[in-house]
Structures are given as structure tokens and as C-alpha cells.
Amino acid sequence: MAEMMAARLHVGERALRMESVPIPEPGRGQVRIRVAAAGVCLSDVHLIDGTLTPLYLPGDVVTLGHEVAGVIDAVGDSVDGWQPGQRVLLQAGERDRRGTVLTRGVDYDGGWAEYALAREDTVVLIPDAMPFEHACIIPDAVSTPWAAVIDTARTRPAEAVGVWGVGGLGAHAVQLLLLVGAAPIIAVDPLPAARDRALTLGADVALDPRDDSFRDALLEATNARGLDVAFDFAGVPSAREQALTVLGRHGRLVLTGIANQPVTIPSDSRFNYSRQTVLGHYGSEAEHVDQLVALANQGRLDLTASISDVLPLSDAEEAVRRVQDKQGNPIRLILRP
């Protein structure tokens, strides 16, 4: 049986190992793709360090990688509309028969490998001109903030917005908020390089959350009315706490980053009087990915600056270390088999 290389997480040991495994055969209703690019997400790091644990993984070992693009290599029985040679990306997950959301590279094998399987309804055709490195990060890195911006927050043109954490998700949020007409866009990050990057991507103001003049600077940027929407992409309690202090009337705090910590509202009277809300957000739906592919194809969304580096699949452990240590302040590192 032919074999391939894959980056496999042994969940019990929290150990990532490059291993030789059989090339999977597509079953009924499945396609197999030859992976061309796979993104490295902070969630992958959290799976390895134990912050996150697969909920539905049937065994103890899984091939990581939920951001995947490549070329269809083979199709299984009863597959309609797909054929070898087509350029595609894979949705980051699927629903089982009970409606449970299963995540690729978490609950079943993902794309940190030479080949990956996908159910036919989770495959999305991409234009010939779209680089695989751009396509692979659309599910999650781009679609998660897009869904947060347009659906959970329902951001409207000219609304004042704050983005806490300008990393893999927040950097795309800045671009997407610019696309929907939010103004001003205020980026908040303790790293000078991240703040500079936010301004390059379209933020109107970039603030250090540790600065004593933070609140005054934000209120000045919003003409003293505070934020209509605050997005926490950092996933740290201090970001939520700070955001709540600068929300305006009818302000919405959207929790996209996951801290696994309580959310504390310091004053219910102010919160209630101002009719503010705290909204949870997770992931995206299939239509969000389709929308982003269309926007990129129309030239409305350029992901060139998002690709911080491309590494060979064999360097998966090095890529994880660089994301964990924030070496070079990457937006996305890409693995290429």
C-alpha cells in the first residue's frame, strides 16, 4: 500500500510527530485531494499544548490541519460534479447526521499531509488565478472574522469599531471591516509591529492597550461616543474588560477569541442603561467561504500580505514553534507538502 507523510498529533501525549501513513482511499461521497497548501493556526498550537482537546475524535491520533487547499486527485463512488484536476479548498469542518459540527484536523484527519479526504459537500472550487496559499486560509483565518463582522455583530457602514488582537484573525478583521465601510477602525495590540501592520491594512488608528492615554485616545477617535462594536480576537480577559469600558450606547462586544475564562461586566447599571450586549462567536458557515472566494476573485480582497512564510510539511514542528512564540509576528504560516 502506498504511503505518505503526515503531521500526526498523539493527543494523550500531546506530541506532534511526522509519520508515514497509508494514502487514504476516498469512500462513497468523498474526494481525495493532493494537498498544495495548509495553514498553521493558533488552534493547532492549542491542540498540541493541551489548551484544546478534540471532543469527537474516535481514537487518540489525528492529522492536524483545518485550512487546506489543493487539487482533486481521486473521487469515490456516487460523487457528482467533481473530477480529478480541479483546484479546490476544503471547508474547515462538516456536520454529521445528528447535526454535530466536526472540525477537520481536530475530530477527523486534516491536511497537514500529502493527501486529504473530504466529503463532497465540503469542497469549494477556486479560480485558476487564486494561489493555493491564499485559498487555504479562507476557511477560518478569513471566514471566522468575516462571519463575526457581518453576521454576529451585523456591522453597519460608519460604525466605530475596535479590534483587540491584530494577529491571524484580527489582521483580516481590519481588512474586512474596511470592506463593509466601518469607520473609524481602531486596532488595539500591545505589539508595535502588529499596530504598524494594522495601519498598513487599513486601520484608522492603532493603540497600545497598556498606554495610560488609551481611553482618551479612543474617545477622541470616536468623537466621545465610544465604540459601536468591539471585537476580541485576542482571547484574553483583559481585552474584554478594557473593551467594555469604551463601548458606546447600544455597543456590542463580540467574543471571537476563546479564553476559557469568565466574562465580567463591571457595572450592570451602565451596561443596562446603555443597552449594550455581549455576543459569542465561533467559526463560520459554508456560505461565508463562498462569499470570500468570490470577493477575492473580484479583486476586492487581497490576501498577499497574510502569507508570512511558506515552509515544507516536514518543518511542521518549526512552524508550530514560530506561531507559539509569535516569531516574526506572523499572520499565517503555510505548510507545503
Side-chain angles (χ1 to χ4, degrees), residues 166-243:
V166 195
L169 296 180
H172 293 119
V174 169
Q175 294 172 273
L176 298 166
L177 287 161
L178 187 66
L179 194 61
V180 301
I185 301 168
I186 301 170
V188 184
D189 199 292
L191 299 177
R195 296 197 298 274
D196 290 342
R197 180 170 66 197
L199 293 171
T200 301
L201 292 173
D204 298 290
V205 179
L207 301 177
D208 185 341
R210 304 165 300 183
D211 196 313
D212 291 340
S213 63
F214 170 84
R215 178 180 170 80
D216 290 340
L218 187 141
L219 291 176
E220 180 180 359
T222 61
N223 292 321
R225 62 189 178 93
L227 297 174
D228 296 297
V229 192
F231 294 93
D232 169 29
F233 290 103
V236 293
S238 59
R240 289 109 182 255
E241 293 165 4
Q242 187 174 54

Side-chain angles (χ1 to χ4, degrees), residues 14-28:
R14 299 293 173 174
L16 180 67
R17 300 190 183 115
M18 292 301 305
E19 297 177 349
S20 181
V21 298
I23 295 176
E25 292 296 328
R28 186 180 182 87

Side-chain angles (χ1 to χ4, degrees), residues 51-66:
T51 303
L52 296 177
T53 297
L55 294 178
Y56 306 109
L57 181 67
D60 189 52
V61 185
V62 65
T63 299
L64 293 180
H66 56 274

Side-chain angles (χ1 to χ4, degrees), residues 1-5 20-26 32-33 73 114-117:
M1 181 178 290
E3 296 202 332
M4 66 176 185
M5 293 304 297
S20 181
V21 298
I23 295 176
E25 292 296 328
R32 183 176 70 199
I33 75 160
D73 169 74
E114 295 179 73
Y115 296 88
L117 295 181

Side-chain angles (χ1 to χ4, degrees), residues 300-323:
R300 303 296 177 88
L301 178 64
D302 184 359
L303 299 175
T304 302
S306 300
I307 313 305
S308 303
D309 201 359
V310 180
L311 293 79
L313 175 63
S314 56
D315 285 351
E317 290 185 77
E318 169 66 11
V320 168
R321 185 192 64 78
R322 285 170 59 175
V323 172

